[in-house]
Coordinates of all heavy atoms in Angstrom, one line a residue:
M1159 N 8.1 4.5 -86.4 CA 7.9 3.7 -85.2 C 7.5 4.6 -84.0 O 6.7 4.3 -83.2 CB 9.1 2.9 -84.8 CG 8.9 2.1 -83.6 SD 9.6 0.5 -84.1 CE 9.6 -0.3 -82.6
K1160 N 8.0 5.8 -84.0 CA 7.7 6.8 -83.0 C 6.2 7.2 -83.1 O 5.6 7.3 -82.0 CB 8.6 8.0 -83.1 CG 8.4 9.0 -82.0 CD 9.4 10.1 -82.1 CE 9.2 11.1 -81.0 NZ 10.0 12.2 -81.0
N1161 N 5.7 7.3 -84.2 CA 4.3 7.7 -84.4 C 3.4 6.5 -83.9 O 2.3 6.8 -83.4 CB 4.0 7.9 -85.9 CG 4.6 9.2 -86.3 OD1 4.9 10.0 -85.5 ND2 4.8 9.4 -87.6
F1162 N 3.8 5.3 -84.1 CA 3.0 4.2 -83.7 C 2.9 4.2 -82.1 O 1.8 4.0 -81.6 CB 3.6 2.9 -84.1 CG 2.9 1.7 -83.6 CD1 1.7 1.3 -84.1 CD2 3.5 0.9 -82.7 CE1 1.0 0.2 -83.6 CE2 2.9 -0.3 -82.2 CZ 1.6 -0.6 -82.7
I1163 N 4.0 4.4 -81.4 CA 4.0 4.5 -79.9 C 3.1 5.6 -79.4 O 2.3 5.5 -78.5 CB 5.4 4.5 -79.4 CG1 6.2 3.3 -79.7 CG2 5.4 4.8 -77.9 CD1 7.6 3.3 -79.4
D1164 N 3.3 6.8 -80.1 CA 2.5 8.0 -79.6 C 1.0 7.8 -79.9 O 0.2 8.1 -79.0 CB 3.0 9.3 -80.5 CG 4.3 9.7 -80.0 OD1 4.8 9.4 -78.9 OD2 5.0 10.5 -80.7
S1165 N 0.6 7.2 -80.9 CA -0.7 7.0 -81.2 C -1.3 5.9 -80.3 O -2.5 5.9 -79.8 CB -1.0 6.5 -82.7 OG -0.4 5.3 -82.9
E1166 N -0.5 4.9 -79.9 CA -0.9 3.9 -79.0 C -1.1 4.4 -77.6 O -2.1 4.1 -76.9 CB 0.1 2.7 -79.0 CG -0.4 1.5 -78.2 CD 0.6 0.4 -78.3 OE1 1.0 0.0 -79.4 OE2 1.0 -0.1 -77.2
I1167 N -0.3 5.3 -77.2 CA -0.4 6.0 -75.9 C -1.7 6.8 -75.8 O -2.4 6.8 -74.8 CB 0.9 6.8 -75.5 CG1 2.0 5.9 -75.3 CG2 0.7 7.6 -74.3 CD1 3.4 6.5 -75.1
K1168 N -1.9 7.5 -76.9 CA -3.1 8.4 -76.9 C -4.4 7.6 -76.9 O -5.4 8.0 -76.3 CB -3.1 9.3 -78.2 CG -2.0 10.3 -78.1 CD -2.0 11.1 -79.4 CE -0.8 12.2 -79.3 NZ -0.7 12.9 -80.6
D1169 N -4.4 6.4 -77.5 CA -5.6 5.6 -77.6 C -5.7 4.7 -76.4 O -6.8 4.1 -76.2 CB -5.6 4.8 -78.9 CG -5.6 5.6 -80.1 OD1 -6.1 6.8 -80.0 OD2 -5.2 5.2 -81.1
S1170 N -4.7 4.6 -75.6 CA -4.8 3.6 -74.4 C -5.5 4.3 -73.3 O -5.5 5.5 -73.1 CB -3.4 3.3 -73.9 OG -2.7 2.6 -74.9
S1171 N -6.2 3.5 -72.5 CA -6.8 4.0 -71.3 C -6.4 3.2 -70.1 O -6.2 2.0 -70.2 CB -8.4 4.0 -71.4 OG -8.8 2.6 -71.6
I1172 N -6.3 3.9 -69.0 CA -5.9 3.2 -67.7 C -7.1 3.1 -66.8 O -7.6 4.2 -66.5 CB -4.7 3.9 -67.1 CG1 -3.5 4.0 -68.0 CG2 -4.3 3.2 -65.8 CD1 -2.4 4.8 -67.5
P1173 N -7.5 1.9 -66.5 CA -8.7 1.9 -65.6 C -8.3 2.3 -64.2 O -7.2 2.0 -63.7 CB -9.1 0.4 -65.6 CG -7.9 -0.3 -66.1 CD -7.1 0.6 -66.9
I1174 N -9.1 3.0 -63.5 CA -8.9 3.5 -62.2 C -9.7 2.6 -61.2 O -10.9 2.5 -61.4 CB -9.3 5.0 -62.0 CG1 -8.4 5.8 -62.9 CG2 -9.1 5.4 -60.5 CD1 -8.8 7.3 -62.9
V1175 N -9.0 2.0 -60.3 CA -9.6 1.1 -59.3 C -9.3 1.7 -57.9 O -8.3 2.0 -57.6 CB -9.1 -0.3 -59.5 CG1 -9.7 -1.2 -58.5 CG2 -9.3 -0.8 -60.9
E1176 N -10.3 1.6 -57.1 CA -10.2 2.0 -55.7 C -10.2 0.8 -54.8 O -11.0 -0.1 -54.9 CB -11.2 3.0 -55.3 CG -11.1 3.5 -53.9 CD -12.2 4.4 -53.5 OE1 -13.0 4.9 -54.3 OE2 -12.4 4.6 -52.2
E1177 N -9.1 0.8 -54.0 CA -9.1 -0.4 -53.0 C -9.0 0.2 -51.6 O -8.3 1.2 -51.3 CB -7.8 -1.2 -53.3 CG -7.9 -2.0 -54.6 CD -6.6 -2.8 -54.8 OE1 -5.7 -2.8 -53.9 OE2 -6.6 -3.5 -55.8
N1178 N -9.7 -0.4 -50.7 CA -9.7 -0.1 -49.3 C -9.4 -1.4 -48.5 O -9.9 -2.4 -48.8 CB -11.0 0.5 -48.8 CG -11.3 1.8 -49.4 OD1 -10.4 2.6 -49.5 ND2 -12.5 2.1 -49.7
V1179 N -8.6 -1.2 -47.5 CA -8.2 -2.3 -46.6 C -8.5 -1.9 -45.2 O -8.2 -0.9 -44.8 CB -6.7 -2.7 -46.8 CG1 -6.3 -3.8 -45.9 CG2 -6.4 -3.1 -48.2
H1180 N -9.1 -2.8 -44.5 CA -9.4 -2.6 -43.0 C -8.8 -3.8 -42.3 O -9.2 -5.0 -42.5 CB -10.9 -2.5 -42.8 CG -11.2 -2.3 -41.4 ND1 -11.0 -1.1 -40.8 CD2 -11.7 -3.1 -40.4 CE1 -11.4 -1.1 -39.5 NE2 -11.9 -2.4 -39.3
I1181 N -7.8 -3.5 -41.4 CA -7.1 -4.6 -40.7 C -7.4 -4.5 -39.2 O -7.4 -3.4 -38.6 CB -5.6 -4.4 -40.9 CG1 -5.3 -4.5 -42.4 CG2 -4.8 -5.5 -40.2 CD1 -3.8 -4.2 -42.8
D1182 N -7.8 -5.6 -38.7 CA -8.1 -5.7 -37.2 C -7.3 -6.9 -36.6 O -6.8 -7.8 -37.3 CB -9.6 -6.0 -37.0 CG -10.4 -4.8 -37.1 OD1 -9.9 -3.7 -36.9 OD2 -11.6 -5.0 -37.4
K1183 N -7.1 -6.8 -35.3 CA -6.5 -7.9 -34.6 C -7.5 -8.6 -33.8 O -8.4 -7.9 -33.2 CB -5.4 -7.3 -33.6 CG -4.2 -6.8 -34.3 CD -3.3 -6.1 -33.3 CE -2.3 -7.0 -32.6 NZ -1.4 -6.3 -31.7
K1184 N -7.4 -9.9 -33.7 CA -8.4 -10.6 -33.0 C -7.6 -11.5 -32.0 O -6.7 -12.2 -32.5 CB -9.3 -11.5 -33.9 CG -10.4 -12.2 -33.2 CD -11.2 -12.9 -34.3 CE -12.4 -13.7 -33.6 NZ -13.2 -14.4 -34.6
I1185 N -7.9 -11.4 -30.7 CA -7.2 -12.3 -29.8 C -7.9 -13.6 -29.7 O -9.1 -13.7 -29.4 CB -7.2 -11.6 -28.4 CG1 -6.5 -10.2 -28.5 CG2 -6.6 -12.4 -27.4 CD1 -6.5 -9.4 -27.3
I1186 N -7.1 -14.7 -29.9 CA -7.7 -16.0 -29.9 C -6.9 -16.8 -28.8 O -5.6 -16.8 -28.9 CB -7.6 -16.7 -31.3 CG1 -8.4 -15.9 -32.2 CG2 -8.0 -18.1 -31.2 CD1 -8.3 -16.4 -33.6
E1187 N -7.5 -17.4 -27.9 CA -6.8 -18.2 -26.9 C -6.5 -19.6 -27.5 O -7.3 -20.3 -28.0 CB -7.7 -18.5 -25.7 CG -7.1 -19.2 -24.6 CD -8.0 -19.3 -23.4 OE1 -8.7 -18.4 -23.1 OE2 -7.9 -20.4 -22.7
K1188 N -5.1 -19.9 -27.5 CA -4.7 -21.1 -28.2 C -4.3 -22.2 -27.2 O -4.2 -23.3 -27.5 CB -3.5 -20.7 -29.0 CG -3.8 -19.9 -30.2 CD -3.2 -20.4 -31.4 CE -3.6 -19.6 -32.6 NZ -3.3 -20.1 -33.8
G1189 N -4.1 -21.8 -25.9 CA -3.7 -22.8 -24.9 C -3.6 -22.1 -23.6 O -3.8 -20.9 -23.4
K1190 N -3.3 -22.9 -22.5 CA -3.1 -22.4 -21.2 C -1.9 -22.9 -20.6 O -1.4 -24.0 -21.0 CB -4.3 -22.9 -20.3 CG -5.6 -22.3 -20.7 CD -6.7 -22.7 -19.8 CE -8.1 -22.1 -20.2 NZ -9.1 -22.5 -19.3
V1191 N -1.4 -22.2 -19.6 CA -0.2 -22.6 -18.9 C -0.6 -22.6 -17.4 O -1.2 -21.6 -16.9 CB 1.0 -21.6 -19.1 CG1 2.2 -22.0 -18.2 CG2 1.4 -21.6 -20.6
I1192 N -0.3 -23.6 -16.7 CA -0.5 -23.6 -15.3 C 0.8 -23.6 -14.5 O 1.7 -24.4 -14.8 CB -1.3 -24.9 -14.9 CG1 -2.7 -24.9 -15.6 CG2 -1.5 -25.0 -13.4 CD1 -3.4 -26.2 -15.4
I1193 N 0.9 -22.6 -13.7 CA 2.2 -22.5 -12.9 C 1.8 -22.8 -11.4 O 0.9 -22.2 -10.9 CB 2.7 -21.0 -13.0 CG1 3.0 -20.8 -14.5 CG2 4.0 -20.8 -12.2 CD1 3.5 -19.4 -14.8
S1194 N 2.6 -23.6 -10.8 CA 2.4 -23.9 -9.4 C 3.7 -23.8 -8.7 O 4.8 -23.9 -9.3 CB 1.8 -25.3 -9.3 OG 2.7 -26.3 -9.7
K1195 N 3.6 -23.6 -7.4 CA 4.8 -23.4 -6.5 C 4.6 -24.4 -5.3 O 3.6 -24.3 -4.7 CB 4.9 -22.0 -6.1 CG 6.0 -21.7 -5.2 CD 6.0 -20.2 -4.8 CE 7.0 -19.9 -3.7 NZ 7.0 -18.5 -3.3
S1196 N 5.7 -25.1 -5.0 CA 5.6 -26.0 -3.8 C 6.8 -25.6 -3.0 O 7.9 -25.3 -3.5 CB 5.6 -27.4 -4.2 OG 6.8 -27.8 -4.9
I1197 N 6.7 -25.6 -1.7 CA 7.7 -25.3 -0.8 C 8.1 -26.5 0.0 O 7.2 -27.2 0.6 CB 7.3 -24.1 0.2 CG1 7.0 -22.9 -0.6 CG2 8.3 -23.9 1.3 CD1 6.3 -21.8 0.2
K1198 N 9.4 -26.8 0.0 CA 9.9 -27.9 0.8 C 10.7 -27.4 1.9 O 11.6 -26.6 1.8 CB 10.8 -28.8 -0.1 CG 11.2 -30.1 0.6 CD 12.1 -30.9 -0.4 CE 12.6 -32.1 0.4 NZ 13.6 -32.9 -0.5
E1199 N 10.3 -27.7 3.2 CA 10.9 -27.2 4.3 C 11.6 -28.3 5.1 O 11.1 -29.4 5.3 CB 9.9 -26.6 5.2 CG 10.4 -25.6 6.2 CD 9.3 -24.9 6.9 OE1 8.4 -24.2 6.3 OE2 9.2 -25.0 8.1
E1200 N 12.9 -28.1 5.5 CA 13.7 -29.1 6.2 C 14.3 -28.4 7.4 O 14.7 -27.2 7.3 CB 14.8 -29.7 5.4 CG 14.3 -30.5 4.2 CD 15.4 -31.1 3.4 OE1 16.6 -31.0 3.8 OE2 15.2 -31.8 2.4
S1201 N 14.3 -29.1 8.5 CA 15.0 -28.5 9.7 C 16.3 -29.3 9.9 O 16.3 -30.5 9.8 CB 14.1 -28.7 10.9 OG 12.9 -27.9 10.8
E1202 N 17.3 -28.5 10.3 CA 18.6 -29.2 10.5 C 19.4 -28.4 11.6 O 19.4 -27.1 11.5 CB 19.4 -29.2 9.2 CG 20.6 -30.1 9.2 CD 21.3 -30.2 7.9 OE1 20.6 -30.4 6.8 OE2 22.5 -30.2 7.8
I1203 N 20.0 -29.1 12.4 CA 20.9 -28.4 13.4 C 22.3 -28.5 13.0 O 22.8 -29.5 12.7 CB 20.7 -29.1 14.8 CG1 19.2 -29.0 15.3 CG2 21.6 -28.5 15.8 CD1 18.9 -29.8 16.5
I1204 N 22.9 -27.3 12.9 CA 24.3 -27.2 12.5 C 25.1 -26.4 13.6 O 24.6 -25.5 14.2 CB 24.5 -26.6 11.1 CG1 23.9 -25.2 11.1 CG2 23.9 -27.5 10.1 CD1 24.1 -24.5 9.8
N1205 N 26.4 -26.7 13.7 CA 27.2 -26.0 14.6 C 28.1 -25.0 13.9 O 28.7 -25.4 12.9 CB 28.2 -27.0 15.3 CG 27.5 -27.9 16.3 OD1 26.5 -27.5 16.9 ND2 27.9 -29.1 16.4
L1206 N 27.9 -23.7 14.2 CA 28.7 -22.7 13.6 C 29.6 -22.0 14.6 O 29.2 -21.8 15.7 CB 27.7 -21.6 13.0 CG 26.8 -22.0 11.9 CD1 25.9 -20.9 11.5 CD2 27.6 -22.4 10.7
P1207 N 30.8 -21.6 14.2 CA 31.7 -20.9 15.1 C 31.1 -19.5 15.3 O 30.6 -18.9 14.4 CB 33.0 -20.9 14.4 CG 32.7 -21.1 13.0 CD 31.4 -21.9 12.9
V1208 N 31.2 -19.0 16.5 CA 30.7 -17.7 16.8 C 31.9 -16.8 17.1 O 32.7 -17.1 18.0 CB 29.7 -17.7 18.1 CG1 29.3 -16.3 18.4 CG2 28.6 -18.6 17.8
A1209 N 31.9 -15.6 16.5 CA 33.0 -14.7 16.7 C 32.5 -13.6 17.7 O 31.3 -13.2 17.7 CB 33.4 -14.0 15.4
N1210 N 33.4 -13.1 18.5 CA 33.0 -12.2 19.5 C 34.1 -11.1 19.6 O 35.2 -11.4 19.6 CB 32.9 -12.9 20.9 CG 32.1 -12.1 21.9 OD1 31.6 -11.1 21.6 ND2 32.0 -12.7 23.1
E1211 N 33.6 -9.9 19.8 CA 34.6 -8.7 19.9 C 34.0 -7.8 20.9 O 32.9 -7.4 20.9 CB 34.7 -8.1 18.5 CG 35.8 -7.0 18.4 CD 35.9 -6.5 17.0 OE1 35.7 -7.2 16.1 OE2 36.3 -5.3 16.9
E1212 N 34.9 -7.3 21.7 CA 34.5 -6.3 22.8 C 35.2 -5.0 22.5 O 36.4 -5.0 22.1 CB 34.9 -6.8 24.1 CG 34.1 -7.9 24.7 CD 34.4 -8.3 26.1 OE1 34.8 -7.4 26.9 OE2 34.1 -9.4 26.4
V1213 N 34.6 -3.9 22.7 CA 35.1 -2.6 22.6 C 34.9 -1.8 23.9 O 33.8 -1.8 24.4 CB 34.4 -1.8 21.4 CG1 35.0 -0.4 21.3 CG2 34.6 -2.6 20.1
T1214 N 35.9 -1.2 24.3 CA 35.8 -0.3 25.5 C 36.0 1.1 25.1 O 37.0 1.4 24.5 CB 36.9 -0.8 26.6 OG1 36.7 -2.1 26.9 CG2 36.7 0.1 27.9
I1215 N 35.0 2.0 25.5 CA 35.2 3.4 25.2 C 35.3 4.1 26.5 O 34.6 4.0 27.5 CB 33.9 3.9 24.5 CG1 33.7 3.1 23.2 CG2 33.9 5.4 24.3 CD1 32.4 3.4 22.5
E1216 N 36.4 4.9 26.5 CA 36.7 5.7 27.8 C 37.0 7.1 27.4 O 37.7 7.4 26.5 CB 38.0 5.1 28.4 CG 38.4 5.7 29.7 CD 39.7 5.1 30.2 OE1 40.0 4.0 29.8 OE2 40.3 5.8 31.0
R1217 N 36.3 8.0 28.1 CA 36.5 9.4 27.8 C 37.5 10.0 28.8 O 37.3 9.8 30.1 CB 35.1 10.2 28.0 CG 35.3 11.7 27.6 CD 33.9 12.4 27.6 NE 34.0 13.6 27.0 CZ 34.4 14.7 27.5 NH1 34.8 14.8 28.7 NH2 34.3 15.9 26.8
V1218 N 38.5 10.6 28.3 CA 39.6 11.1 29.1 C 39.7 12.6 28.9 O 39.9 13.1 27.8 CB 41.0 10.5 28.7 CG1 42.1 11.0 29.5 CG2 40.9 8.9 28.8
S1219 N 39.5 13.4 29.9 CA 39.5 14.8 29.8 C 41.0 15.2 30.1 O 41.6 14.7 31.0 CB 38.6 15.5 30.7 OG 38.9 15.1 32.1
I1220 N 41.5 16.2 29.3 CA 42.9 16.6 29.4 C 43.0 17.9 30.2 O 44.0 18.3 30.7 CB 43.6 16.8 28.0 CG1 42.8 17.8 27.2 CG2 43.7 15.4 27.4 CD1 43.5 18.1 25.9
N1221 N 41.9 18.6 30.5 CA 41.8 19.8 31.2 C 42.9 20.9 30.8 O 43.6 21.4 31.6 CB 42.0 19.5 32.7 CG 40.7 18.8 33.2 OD1 39.6 19.0 32.8 ND2 40.9 17.9 34.2
Q1222 N 43.0 21.1 29.5 CA 44.0 22.0 29.0 C 43.3 22.9 27.9 O 42.4 22.4 27.2 CB 45.2 21.3 28.4 CG 46.1 20.5 29.3 CD 47.2 19.8 28.6 OE1 47.4 20.1 27.4 NE2 47.9 19.0 29.3
I1223 N 43.8 24.1 27.8 CA 43.4 24.9 26.6 C 44.3 24.7 25.5 O 45.5 24.8 25.7 CB 43.3 26.4 27.1 CG1 42.3 26.6 28.2 CG2 43.0 27.3 25.9 CD1 42.3 28.0 28.8
L1224 N 43.8 24.4 24.4 CA 44.7 24.1 23.2 C 44.8 25.3 22.3 O 43.9 26.0 22.1 CB 44.1 22.9 22.4 CG 43.8 21.6 23.2 CD1 43.1 20.6 22.4 CD2 45.2 21.1 23.7
D1225 N 46.0 25.5 21.8 CA 46.3 26.5 20.8 C 45.8 26.2 19.4 O 45.4 27.1 18.7 CB 47.8 26.8 20.7 CG 48.4 27.3 22.1 OD1 47.5 27.9 22.9 OD2 49.5 27.1 22.4
K1226 N 45.8 24.9 19.1 CA 45.3 24.5 17.8 C 44.4 23.3 18.0 O 44.5 22.6 19.0 CB 46.5 24.2 16.8 CG 47.4 23.1 17.3 CD 48.5 22.8 16.4 CE 49.3 21.5 16.9 NZ 50.3 21.1 15.9
P1227 N 43.6 23.0 17.0 CA 42.7 21.9 17.1 C 43.5 20.6 17.2 O 44.6 20.5 16.6 CB 41.8 21.9 15.9 CG 42.4 22.9 15.0 CD 43.3 23.7 15.8
P1228 N 43.0 19.5 17.8 CA 43.7 18.3 17.9 C 43.8 17.6 16.6 O 43.0 17.9 15.6 CB 42.9 17.4 18.9 CG 41.6 18.1 18.9 CD 41.7 19.5 18.5
E1229 N 44.7 16.7 16.4 CA 44.9 15.9 15.2 C 43.7 15.1 14.9 O 42.8 14.9 15.8 CB 46.1 15.0 15.3 CG 47.4 15.7 15.5 CD 48.6 14.7 15.7 OE1 48.4 13.5 15.2 OE2 49.6 15.1 16.2
A1230 N 43.6 14.6 13.7 CA 42.4 13.8 13.4 C 42.6 12.4 14.1 O 43.5 12.3 15.0 CB 42.4 13.5 11.9
I1231 N 41.8 11.5 13.8 CA 41.9 10.2 14.5 C 43.3 9.6 14.4 O 43.9 9.7 13.3 CB 40.9 9.2 13.8 CG1 39.4 9.7 14.0 CG2 41.0 7.8 14.4 CD1 38.4 8.9 13.3
R1232 N 43.8 9.1 15.5 CA 45.2 8.6 15.4 C 45.2 7.3 16.3 O 44.3 7.0 17.0 CB 46.2 9.6 16.0 CG 46.0 10.0 17.4 CD 47.0 11.1 17.8 NE 47.0 11.2 19.2 CZ 46.2 12.0 19.9 NH1 45.2 12.7 19.3 NH2 46.3 12.1 21.2
Y1233 N 46.3 6.6 16.1 CA 46.4 5.3 16.7 C 47.6 5.3 17.7 O 48.7 5.9 17.3 CB 46.6 4.1 15.7 CG 45.4 3.9 14.9 CD1 45.2 4.6 13.7 CD2 44.4 3.0 15.2 CE1 44.1 4.4 12.9 CE2 43.3 2.8 14.4 CZ 43.1 3.5 13.3 OH 42.1 3.3 12.5
E1234 N 47.5 4.8 18.9 CA 48.6 4.6 19.8 C 48.6 3.2 20.2 O 47.8 2.8 21.1 CB 48.5 5.6 21.0 CG 48.7 7.0 20.6 CD 48.7 7.9 21.9 OE1 48.5 7.4 23.0 OE2 48.7 9.1 21.7
G1235 N 49.4 2.4 19.5 CA 49.4 0.9 19.8 C 48.1 0.3 19.3 O 47.7 0.5 18.1
N1236 N 47.4 -0.4 20.1 CA 46.1 -0.9 19.8 C 44.9 0.0 20.1 O 43.8 -0.4 20.1 CB 45.9 -2.3 20.5 CG 46.8 -3.4 19.9 OD1 47.2 -3.3 18.8 ND2 47.1 -4.4 20.7
T1237 N 45.3 1.2 20.5 CA 44.2 2.2 21.0 C 44.0 3.2 19.9 O 44.9 3.8 19.3 CB 44.7 2.9 22.2 OG1 45.0 1.9 23.2 CG2 43.6 3.8 22.8
V1238 N 42.7 3.5 19.6 CA 42.3 4.5 18.6 C 41.9 5.8 19.4 O 41.1 5.7 20.3 CB 41.1 4.1 17.8 CG1 40.8 5.1 16.8 CG2 41.5 2.8 17.0
I1239 N 42.6 6.9 19.1 CA 42.3 8.2 19.8 C 41.4 9.0 18.9 O 41.8 9.3 17.8 CB 43.6 8.9 20.1 CG1 44.6 8.0 20.8 CG2 43.3 10.2 20.9 CD1 44.5 7.9 22.2
V1240 N 40.3 9.4 19.3 CA 39.3 10.2 18.5 C 39.1 11.5 19.3 O 38.5 11.5 20.4 CB 37.9 9.5 18.3 CG1 37.0 10.4 17.5 CG2 38.2 8.1 17.7
P1241 N 39.5 12.7 18.8 CA 39.3 13.9 19.5 C 37.8 14.3 19.4 O 37.2 14.2 18.4 CB 40.2 14.9 18.8 CG 40.5 14.3 17.5 CD 40.3 12.8 17.6
V1242 N 37.3 14.8 20.5 CA 35.9 15.3 20.5 C 35.8 16.7 21.1 O 36.7 17.1 21.9 CB 34.9 14.3 21.4 CG1 34.7 13.1 20.6 CG2 35.5 14.0 22.7

């Protein structure tokens, strides 16, 4: 049986075929979309509470020579002390 297979392989031929493929993309318009924007404007009077805050800044000179730099920002009651 081995001889039969060997002889069959020797006598067989394989056809050689060349294939080429060329692929392209083609843009085709299939439909359209229309987008629109409309603005609706309304005027309305409303009452809103208004917050108000006042700040008073006062520069106070101490007329002293300091041995060390003053402390950082500090609070004395409702007053904020900022050394400059």
Side-chain angles (χ1 to χ4, degrees):
M1159 183 133 171
K1160 185 174 182 185
N1161 289 340
F1162 176 72
I1163 294 173
D1164 287 341
S1165 66
E1166 190 174 306
I1167 291 174
K1168 289 179 184 175
D1169 295 338
S1170 297
S1171 63
I1172 299 173
I1174 298 175
V1175 178
E1176 180 179 346
E1177 292 182 359
N1178 290 321
V1179 176
H1180 183 72
I1181 300 172
D1182 280 335
K1183 289 170 91 176
K1184 185 176 181 183
I1185 298 174
I1186 299 174
E1187 184 177 322
K1188 294 227 175 189
K1190 292 183 181 181
V1191 176
I1192 297 173
I1193 299 174
S1194 63
K1195 176 181 172 182
S1196 63
I1197 299 173
K1198 183 179 178 184
E1199 202 175 298
E1200 293 180 6
S1201 296
E1202 189 172 322
I1203 298 173
I1204 56 173
N1205 293 324
L1206 294 176
V1208 177
N1210 197 5
E1211 187 174 332
E1212 286 186 28
V1213 176
T1214 303
I1215 300 174
E1216 181 181 341
R1217 185 172 195 280
V1218 179
S1219 58
I1220 57 173
N1221 293 327
Q1222 295 178 7
I1223 297 176
L1224 301 174
D1225 296 334
K1226 62 179 183 171
E1229 297 178 22
I1231 298 173
R1232 65 184 191 277
Y1233 295 90
E1234 290 182 6
N1236 288 337
T1237 304
V1238 178
I1239 310 275
V1240 180
V1242 287

